[in-house]
Each structure stands twice: as structure tokens, then as C-alpha cells.
Amino acid sequence: MIIDENNMSSFLEKLAETLSENSKKDKSHIQFESFPLFQNECLYVFDFSQKKIIFKQGFQNVLGYQDHEITIDFITGLYHPDEAGLINRIIQASILYCLEYPENSSNNLLFLSFQLRKKDGTYIKILSQSYIYDIDKNGQISSVLIRFTD
């Protein structure tokens, strides 16, 4: 799969096509509803097989957007224009590494620091922490949890 720094959506679309049907299962997100977040934090869970965010919390406090407004395209559209290409390349390369080496990836973490645009149009520097949340029965990554801290 080729990294496309300008289009995260097409990358995720191709990725979903390569994942097995084994990852298309209902997951309980009750544990996240009481997930402890500081006021300067938000999080979301992205399911690769469904190509969508399946849980989100705290975006109002950090960025000013309501949680229901948040989609993966919306988030990637908030990246600072000077950093968007690099962020997309790093994220895509990390996902591809996890798919190519699943036996080495279950405990991997990805930490990135970049700027996101708030609802008022200003940019803030955030720390993004990405964790593998779930793998399918073939050991392939199926969902990730991403936590943003201002």
C-alpha cells in the first residue's frame, strides 16, 4: 500500500479493503464512558474495518467542537497546513508497520506533537498518543485509541 500524505481518507479506504472480515464485530465501549480524562484531554477510538470513529469524548473542552461533530476527516482537516503532510506520512507508515509486523506491534505506542485548529480558528499544540485498542483473530490491527492532550 502506498502512503498518500495528502489524502488520509483514501489511505483508510484502501486499508479497510485489506482487513479481514474478522475485525468487523461489535465492541463494547462502556469502559470508555467513564474513562478518566483531564479537562485538557480528549480521545477517540477509530475502527479500521468500519472506517469510522466508534467512540469520542472531550472535544468540547480541548478544541471547542461537540463530540458529535468529530469524524476522522474532520480531525485530519484540523491539522496545521504546514504539518499535515508529515503527520499523514508518519501515521500511515506506523499503521503499515503494524500490519506488516503484527507480532511486534501489539504493544507499540505512537507519540506525536503537532498543531490542531480550534473552533475559534486558533491553533494549539497537542500531544497525540496512539495505542492499538483491538486486533482481530488473525493478529491484525483492527482499532486504535488516540488521546489528545493540550
Side-chain angles (χ1 to χ4, degrees):
M1 191 177 315
I2 297 172
I3 292 175
D4 181 358
E5 71 181 58
N6 297 316
N7 195 337
M8 185 65 84
S9 293
S10 66
F11 172 80
L12 293 172
E13 186 73 34
K14 292 173 192 167
L15 181 63
E17 292 170 9
T18 65
L19 292 175
S20 71
E21 289 293 316
N22 300 323
S23 61
K24 293 186 179 181
K25 59 184 179 185
D26 260 347
K27 300 175 186 86
S28 171
H29 301 103
I30 294 170
Q31 69 218 30
F32 292 117
E33 292 173 7
S34 60
F35 194 89
L37 287 176
F38 291 105
Q39 191 162 2
N40 65 335
E41 295 181 315
C42 57
L43 68 81
Y44 64 97
V45 176
F46 183 80
D47 187 298
F48 292 105
S49 63
Q50 296 181 52
K51 299 172 282 193
K52 69 178 186 176
I53 293 175
I54 55 175
F55 182 83
K56 50 210 163 195
Q57 176 181 327
F59 284 87
Q60 174 69 41
N61 290 338
V62 178
L63 298 172
Y65 301 102
Q66 297 295 319
D67 290 342
H68 71 271
E69 296 178 82
I70 304 302
T71 65
I72 199 65
D73 290 331
F74 188 81
I75 290 172
T76 58
L78 298 177
Y79 297 159
H80 191 282
D82 294 343
E83 301 173 341
L86 179 61
I87 296 165
N88 285 333
R89 283 194 312 271
I90 292 169
I91 292 170
Q92 292 175 32
S94 299
I95 293 168
L96 292 175
Y97 176 85
C98 290
L99 291 173
E100 190 171 342
Y101 303 102
E103 66 282 354
N104 299 332
S105 300
S106 61
N107 294 320
N108 283 354
L109 305 172
L110 175 63
F111 292 88
L112 294 172
S113 181
F114 52 88
Q115 296 179 77
L116 281 179
R117 187 179 63 250
K118 294 174 60 172
K119 191 168 188 163
D120 67 8
T122 62
Y123 283 88
I124 60 169
K125 191 77 147 174
I126 60 106
L127 172 65
S128 171
Q129 304 167 59
S130 302
Y131 312 85
I132 294 176
Y133 171 59
D134 197 22
I135 56 174
D136 66 19
K137 69 180 184 180
N138 295 325
Q140 293 291 327
I141 183 175
S142 61
S143 61
V144 292
L145 182 146
I146 294 97
R147 181 184 221 167
F148 290 160
T149 305
D150 175 14

